[in-house]
Amino acid sequence: MEDKIYDFDMAKAPQTIIKVIGVGGGGGNAVSNMYREGIRDVSFVLCNTDNQALQKSDVPDKLLIGQNTTHGLGSGNVPEVGERAAIESEDDIRKMLNDGTRMAFVTAGMGGGTGTGAAPVVAKISKDMGILTVGIVTIPFVFEGRPKIVKALRGVRNMAQNVDSLLVINNERLRNFADMPIPQANRKADETLTIAAKSIAEIVTTNLEQNVDFADVDTTMRNSGVALISIGFGEGEGRLRQAINEALENTLVNDVNNIFNAQRVAFVIYYSHEDELRISEMDDIHDFMSQFKTEYEVKWGHGYDDSLGHKIKITILVTGFGLEDILTKTEQLELNTDEEIRAAAEKAAAEKKKRDEEDEWMQRYYGDYIDAHPKTEIVVLTTEELDDDNLIAFIEEKPAYKRTVKDVQQIRNAGNLIISSSQKNISSSTMKNQEQKQKGGTIISF
Amino acid sequence: MAYTDFIVAIDLGTSHMVGMVGTKNSSGELSIIAYEVEKVETCIRRGCVYNIKDTAYKIVGLVRKLENKLGGTRIAKIYVGVGGQSLRTIDHSVSKLLGNGVVTENTLQDIDKECRQYTPDLLNVLDIASPVYYLDNQLESNPIGLSCSRIDARYKLIVGRPALRDSVTKNMVEHIKTEVAGVIVSPLALADLILTDSEKENGSALIDFGAGVTSVTMYKAGKLVGMYVIPLGSHLITKDLMTLDNISEKEAERIKRTEGNAIWEKEKEPRPIPVDLADGRHASLKSSDVNNVVEARSREIIENIYARLEEAGMVNDAGCKLVIAGNGSTLKNLREALIERFKMDVRYASVRKDFIKDGEMIANNPEYTTATALLLKGTENCAVIPEPVVTIKEPKPIPAESPVVEQEPVAVENIEVKKTEPEVKNPIRGGEKSKGGNKTGERSGGFFGGFFDKVSGKLGEILDEEAD
């Protein structure tokens, strides 16, 4: 592909600020889809440990990661292998991103090896470079089995820690999947990823009548936690209202009600030259906007998409979810409605349920092999420490089941000075030897 | 009917404060007349008086309630038990060079005097357990009459922070307006009430699982080997359970009682345990979480007990057994957990029948056992009566063997009794009379010997006139 001709072409490819990176099989398929569909002003890269899968794709920019770790043969569904592969190829990933990219989508299907393990690493590298990094991940269908789901959820947690914004798409929420053959369902999942990434990219790249640009998206998505994206279409009488309703129903994500609790919101309405947005439809927009309870301005735009015909399309992007956000929002919630409080409680309950379910499944499959008895740090006091108020207060305050070795050592080190000085005062000789031997005490961990 | 001669004891527990009135018959058997409980909120922490004023207020309340049950007799003084954090034994030895002389009663008295003069820095000696004598480094149980060049007396001093005693004596008296007849070391008193002579002889440890502290009192060959107060109690389990969710203390306590388990039990399917949250909502805890919390803390307490026994050389001793007392000992599977850890026989405490005439049921209630033990250590009439009608007859030490006072009765730290019978304070006095091989009898006789010495010293005349 390298020409030997002098390369005077300064703008060889139009400078793109958005890069879509597909990591692993699912991510790769989604990116290949998007590439075939064509989104303007976006560059595409595939990252995989599986050379065969990379070769299949039409996307020209490919990065085989972890050549020493996997020898191009895939990660065998082990996230740790995927992670190691990405770490091994850190320099290559950095080089790949270091081309003026301002915004990166890291798309991956969670639950396998490469996507689950490598995508968080890729995201981290990207975010560390100051690139607005948006993770778009799918989580498996229920029929794919609990172990895969648990693995996927762990991956989601890792992703959330390493991106500015994370979109989680639960395949289970895809409509009509029950009648769908499995290969088609899998394609549908890839398609979902495509739609999500494409929709956001579109917001940035399309030149709208009332524009929403990169800066707006950056404001909406930078360090914003969990995001939701939703698309709806409408046609005929009350088409915008239809579109909005469809978008709300068909969020492709969990917690539909939460949309109105979002901290930041952006939406874009598309229509064709044939059937443009009308003044009469503005009422629907106002109704919709008034439902958001955010302090931030709701950023919105509208523009042409002539592929729509008489249809109208709305893309809603909301961000600012996540466990931490729920906690810091507690005060706000109190000021607001019961609905919000309920939503927060529901979310916490869902988290807990998720954890319990994981435990339950662990127990079901591994119960006979693993003793789930958690580790505890027991403090055995020396005779001197029996009257050490600081240490005792610490032991009282911090239940044994929550303690760490480090906590205990810190407290003990702080107390050692006092102990050794008071030790001198006990003149009983036999006692003293015994004490010295015991000084520092014991920590037993199980 | 109005009682005119009785003993009053107050047990200052971390969760409950118990006041008890009892009387002893001629053979020293105790009859419990009245008892009252006061809930301690926060004024006592880890068995130590934390807020003197509040504690005093509650003691006054207890005394008033007890008086209501005494048919009009007022209470003049009380015995107070101490058993809180910082209380423990330390070793102290006194040596004398005799230059091939013979050990006499005087020698032992001198040694004892020297021991009593010893005051460790920053610590207060609350009691002294009888010593073990070594003549030229040879253990000798009855050294009198033997010759040697050097004699060592190895003592166990029961020590604690000065505040431990001061807070229930000088600092307390002005608030309660009632005299404190004596400060009694609770764990030792309890051991005397519960452990049998053969248990003390063969080796045993009494473990009192209290709310704020856990005390360990160890005996071997009839002697006190060590006594320690571990500053961790069963209330911590309740507190730990409260960290699982927004659970009130009362609810956590209920869960501890109904679901607490000292042994980790693997569950295939954790059960939900319904719980009422502090905000009124209903929720459920996972049985495995509760198990984890309770097991972790109780294991911590058990490991601390183990460390004390290990130091004292009591583990891996086939003859040793554990006796468990206190409300905390009712935790499910605690006994099993102890058996598992110590590989020893473990029994639940029950009071010695030979000491209790009336009220055995009450005495065996873990909440009241310590108060009962304190009563047994009390010697003075605590009633406000100018001339007491004495119900006590000419004393005979209970098991009717030797009149021996080998274990000095100093367990009772008599504050103002000193002037009346200074001789009781002398632990060697009994020792000289003791016959070798009669130690078991001596142990129990120890206390009562002292008691009767005292009684006869004080009430000799009255007995002559009235009691007989």
Side-chain angles (χ1 to χ4, degrees), chain A residues 381 389 396 401 403 446, chain B residues 46 243 299-300 304 308:
Chain A
L381 300 167
D389 279 333
E396 284 190 345
Y401 78 98
R403 240 177 257 146
F446 292 82
Chain B
R46 300 182 207 126
T243 64
R299 184 151 45 85
E300 179 158 77
N304 273 284
R308 303 283 86 83

Side-chain angles (χ1 to χ4, degrees), chain A residues 359 363 367-368 371 373-374 376 378-381 383 387 389 392 395-396 399 401 403 428 431 446, chain B residues 46 85-86 88 91 161 228 231 240 243 264 266-268 286 292 295 297 299-300 304 307-308 311:
Chain A
D359 290 352
Q363 196 62 33
D368 293 335
D371 187 357
H373 194 179
T376 48
I378 296 248
V379 178
V380 177
L381 300 167
T383 28
D387 196 20
D389 279 333
I392 296 163
I395 299 172
E396 284 190 345
Y401 78 98
R403 240 177 257 146
S428 165
M431 191 72 194
F446 292 82
Chain B
R46 300 182 207 126
Q85 180 191 331
S86 84
R88 62 186 170 93
D91 291 315
R161 292 177 179 189
Y228 296 96
D240 290 355
T243 64
W264 171 255
K266 210 166 95 177
E267 279 178 294
K268 266 236 141 97
K286 255 167 49 182
N292 180 26
E295 191 268 351
R297 185 64 88 173
R299 184 151 45 85
E300 179 158 77
N304 273 284
R308 303 283 86 83
E311 275 166 25

Side-chain angles (χ1 to χ4, degrees), chain B residues 158-297:
Chain B
I158 291 95
V159 298
R161 292 177 179 189
L164 201 60
R165 177 163 65 192
D166 294 348
S167 60
V168 294
T169 53
K170 10 182 205 205
N171 301 338
M172 183 74 77
V173 168
E174 58 173 305
H175 294 289
I176 58 173
K177 309 271 191 290
T178 308
E179 204 181 310
V180 175
V183 174
I184 300 167
V185 176
S186 309
L188 293 185
L190 192 67
D192 283 344
L193 176 62
I194 287 169
L195 297 181
T196 65
D197 296 335
S198 69
E199 280 170 342
K200 285 184 180 174
E201 186 63 33
N202 297 332
S204 59
L206 174 71
I207 302 160
D208 183 10
F209 291 90
V213 293
T214 303
S215 62
V216 182
T217 315
M218 296 170 281
Y219 288 88
K220 177 83 186 169
K223 296 270 182 192
L224 180 69
V225 176
M227 191 275 297
Y228 296 96
V229 172
I230 297 164
L232 306 170
S234 62
H235 184 61
L236 289 182
I237 298 175
T238 311
K239 273 182 70 180
D240 290 355
L241 284 170
M242 288 166 71
T243 64
L244 277 179
D245 204 333
N246 181 18
I247 303 170
S248 71
E249 189 173 323
K250 203 175 146 210
E251 187 70 353
E253 183 72 22
R254 182 186 68 79
I255 293 166
K256 178 174 81 175
R257 281 167 200 269
T258 55
E259 302 288 343
N261 186 349
I263 288 181
W264 171 255
E265 278 175 11
K266 210 166 95 177
E267 279 178 294
K268 266 236 141 97
E269 303 247 320
R271 286 172 299 119
I273 296 172
V275 58
D276 293 340
L277 298 185
D279 56 13
R281 285 186 297 126
H282 299 292
S284 76
L285 299 174
K286 255 167 49 182
S287 59
S288 55
D289 288 349
V290 171
N291 193 185
N292 180 26
V293 170
V294 176
E295 191 268 351
R297 185 64 88 173

Side-chain angles (χ1 to χ4, degrees), chain B residues 13 63 72 86 96 100 112 123 139 149 154 159 168 175 181 187 205-206 227 306 350 378 390 404 411 444 460:
Chain B
V63 168
S86 84
K96 248 189 159 44
N100 280 334
D112 194 58
L123 293 171
L139 177 67
S149 59
R154 299 188 185 168
V159 298
V168 294
H175 294 289
L206 174 71
M227 191 275 297
Y306 191 88
S350 59
V390 175
V404 176
S444 64

Side-chain angles (χ1 to χ4, degrees), chain B residues 348-362:
Chain B
Y348 286 103
S350 59
V351 299
R352 290 177 56 164
K353 288 192 172 65
D354 45 352
F355 289 167
I356 308 289
K357 183 163 171 282
D358 257 333
E360 200 184 306
M361 282 273 283
I362 299 155

